[in-house]
Amino acid sequence: MPTSLANIKNKLDSRIGEKLMVIAQAGRKKTTERHGILRETYPAVFVVDLDQNENSFERVSYSYTDILTKNIEVDFDE
């Protein structure tokens, strides 16, 4: 993944509307996987519309710093 916040934002800007999986750290040795579609990007955060069959809420947002610090991993469906 890119090494600066601007690079991360630019990379995500080009993938808006694509399906993705977000793997997030959920505490001590725990991770959560969420599937959805990259909906919007803002200057500091990006928004993912979640798959309603798997999740009880509609959207989640993450900061670009979460990717930079490896608190989350973003994998796009190819």
Side-chain angles (χ1 to χ4, degrees), residues 11-50:
K11 190 165 186 119
L12 290 176
D13 282 342
S14 67
R15 310 286 304 254
I16 290 177
E18 293 187 27
K19 290 186 177 188
L20 56 79
M21 177 178 62
V22 177
I23 303 168
Q25 300 297 324
R28 193 171 166 195
K29 296 184 182 179
K30 295 180 184 176
T31 59
T32 58
E33 283 186 12
R34 294 192 173 128
H35 299 269
I37 297 173
L38 179 61
R39 189 55 58 202
E40 298 176 82
T41 59
Y42 294 100
V45 297
F46 60 97
V47 176
V48 177
D49 283 345
L50 297 175

Side-chain angles (χ1 to χ4, degrees), residues 1-22 36-48 60-68 72-78:
M1 208 59 186
T3 57
S4 77
L5 296 177
N7 288 344
I8 292 169
K9 183 180 182 328
N10 289 336
K11 190 165 186 119
L12 290 176
D13 282 342
S14 67
R15 310 286 304 254
I16 290 177
E18 293 187 27
K19 290 186 177 188
L20 56 79
M21 177 178 62
V22 177
I37 297 173
L38 179 61
R39 189 55 58 202
E40 298 176 82
T41 59
Y42 294 100
V45 297
F46 60 97
V47 176
V48 177
V60 67
S61 63
Y62 295 102
S63 168
Y64 303 120
T65 57
D66 291 333
I67 296 173
L68 191 63
I72 66 168
E73 228 179 278
V74 178
D75 294 325
F76 285 93
D77 293 346
E78 296 302 327

